[in-house]
Amino acid sequence: MTQVRDKKKYNWPVTILLIIGCVTIFFPLYMAVIIAFKQPSEMTNDIAGALSFPSQWSLSNFQEAMRVTDFWRSLGNSLLLTVATVVLALVIHSLAGYAIGRSMKGSKMYNFFYLYIVSGMFVPFAILMMPLVKQTAQMGIANRLGVILLYTVFYMPLNLMLYKGYLANIPIALEEAARVDGATTWRTYWSVVFPIMKPMHATVAVLTAMSTWNDVMTPLVIMSGTGKNTLPLAQLNFQTQFGTNYNLAFASYLLALIPILLFYIVCQKQILNGVVNGAVK
C-alpha cells in the first residue's frame, strides 16, 4: 500500500510541464540580466558567449539607459497614466459591474448592455486607431488625459466581466439587510459591496496596471509630438535603422520592470482569490 501511495503522490507529466515552463520563463530573464550588465565589446553571436557572465559587473549600462530615456520624467508619465487608469477602472468598472450584474436577471436591456460592452474585447485596436487619433485631436485631448480616458474604455469589457462574475458569489441578502437598516443603494454599494470585492479589486488593478504600463501603441499614436514620453516610448530610442543597442535596452527593460513587479508582489495574495471566486459561481 505504501508503494502505491508513493506512485500516486507525483503527477510526473504535470511536473515535467511545470519544469519546462519555469525554464522557458527563466531563460529570457537570465539573458536580459546578463546582457544588461555586459559591455558592448563582450557581445558575441555564439551561444556560449551570450550565456556567459560579464567579465566585470557594472552599472554603467543602467546609468546610460536612464540618461537616454530621461528615466525619471518618463517614469513619472508612466506612473501618472497607470495610477489614474487604475483608479478610474476600480471606481467606474466596479460600479458598472454592480449595476449590470444585479439588474441582468429578467432584464433584456441590461443583458444587451452587458453583451454590448463585453463584445468590445473582440474589436482590434488597429481598426480603431486612426479614427481615435482624428477624434482625440478634434476634441483637444490628444494628450495624457485622452490616453487615460481611452484606457478606461479599452479595459472596461474584461473588468466588467470579472466584476460581474465575482458579484455572483456575494449573497444579495447582505444588501437586503443594509436596505432594511435604511441604507440607500449608493450607501449599500460603498459600505457593503465595494469592501467585499477587495480580491477582485486587486485582480483588476494588477491586470489594468500591467496593460497600461507596457502599452506602446496608444501613447505613440495619441501623444505623438507632445514630448510626454512613457517608459515604453522612451525605450524605442534604443532601436535604430541600423540595429538595436541590446545592452542599454535590456538595462532599461529591467528598470521598467521593477515598479510593476513590486505592485504585483503587494497584490498577489488577493489576485488568486479574485480570479477563483470570479470564475466559480
Side-chain angles (χ1 to χ4, degrees):
M1 291 295 293
T2 304
Q3 294 180 352
V4 175
R5 289 178 181 176
D6 290 341
K7 291 181 179 179
K8 291 184 178 181
K9 186 177 181 180
Y10 300 101
N11 191 332
W12 288 111
V14 175
T15 303
I16 293 173
L17 287 176
L18 289 175
I19 294 174
I20 294 174
C22 290
V23 172
T24 304
I25 295 173
F26 173 78
F27 183 74
L29 182 60
Y30 170 81
M31 291 288 294
V33 174
I34 291 300
I35 294 176
F37 283 95
K38 284 185 176 181
Q39 298 301 316
S41 57
E42 299 181 71
M43 296 295 294
T44 58
N45 293 326
D46 60 287
I47 299 297
L51 295 177
S52 63
F53 289 105
S55 58
Q56 182 178 0
W57 296 85
S58 173
L59 297 176
S60 59
N61 287 331
F62 293 89
Q63 296 172 351
E64 181 65 15
M66 293 178 68
R67 185 191 66 80
V68 172
T69 60
D70 195 3
F71 180 76
W72 295 112
R73 181 173 297 180
S74 301
L75 176 65
N77 289 327
S78 290
L79 285 174
L80 175 62
L81 296 181
T82 303
V83 172
T85 302
V86 169
V87 171
L88 288 175
L90 293 180
V91 175
I92 297 175
H93 299 169
S94 63
L95 278 170
Y98 176 70
I100 293 177
R102 285 294 191 246
S103 305
M104 283 182 63
K105 189 175 181 180
S107 175
K108 294 182 179 180
M109 181 180 67
Y110 281 99
N111 275 280
F112 171 78
F113 286 156
Y114 175 72
L115 295 176
Y116 177 76
I117 295 174
V118 171
S119 64
M121 288 191 296
F122 305 103
V123 181
F125 178 74
I127 296 177
L128 304 174
M129 182 170 61
M130 294 311 297
L132 286 175
V133 171
K134 183 69 173 178
Q135 186 176 5
T136 52
Q138 291 177 338
M139 298 175 64
I141 55 173
N143 47 36
R144 289 175 294 187
L145 174 61
V147 173
I148 292 171
L149 295 177
L150 289 177
Y151 281 147
T152 305
V153 175
F154 291 160
Y155 304 141
M156 188 173 186
L158 176 61
N159 294 343
L160 176 64
M161 187 170 61
L162 291 173
Y163 276 120
K164 185 261 181 185
Y166 192 84
L167 278 167
N169 298 279
I170 300 178
I172 198 170
L174 296 176
E175 300 167 47
E176 293 174 346
R179 292 193 182 97
V180 169
D181 291 338
T184 62
T185 302
W186 186 258
R187 179 65 181 273
T188 299
Y189 173 74
W190 287 112
S191 300
V192 179
V193 179
F194 191 83
I196 295 177
M197 293 195 296
K198 182 180 178 181
M200 184 51 64
H201 294 324
T203 303
V204 168
V206 169
L207 293 177
T208 303
M210 291 180 64
S211 300
T212 304
W213 187 265
N214 296 319
D215 184 47
V216 178
M217 188 59 65
T218 306
L220 178 63
V221 298
I222 301 299
M223 298 195 308
S224 178
T226 62
K228 305 293 185 180
N229 286 338
T230 60
L231 277 176
L233 285 182
Q235 289 166 352
L236 295 178
N237 293 328
F238 302 120
Q239 300 178 5
T240 65
Q241 181 181 357
F242 305 101
T244 302
N245 190 328
Y246 291 104
N247 303 92
L248 297 185
F250 286 178
S252 180
Y253 298 156
L254 292 178
L255 288 172
L257 175 65
I258 294 174
I260 199 68
L261 181 62
L262 293 176
F263 181 63
Y264 175 79
I265 292 174
V266 171
C267 299
Q268 66 174 340
K269 292 182 179 180
Q270 300 291 336
I271 293 174
L272 184 60
N273 291 333
V275 173
V276 173
N277 292 334
V280 181
K281 182 176 180 180

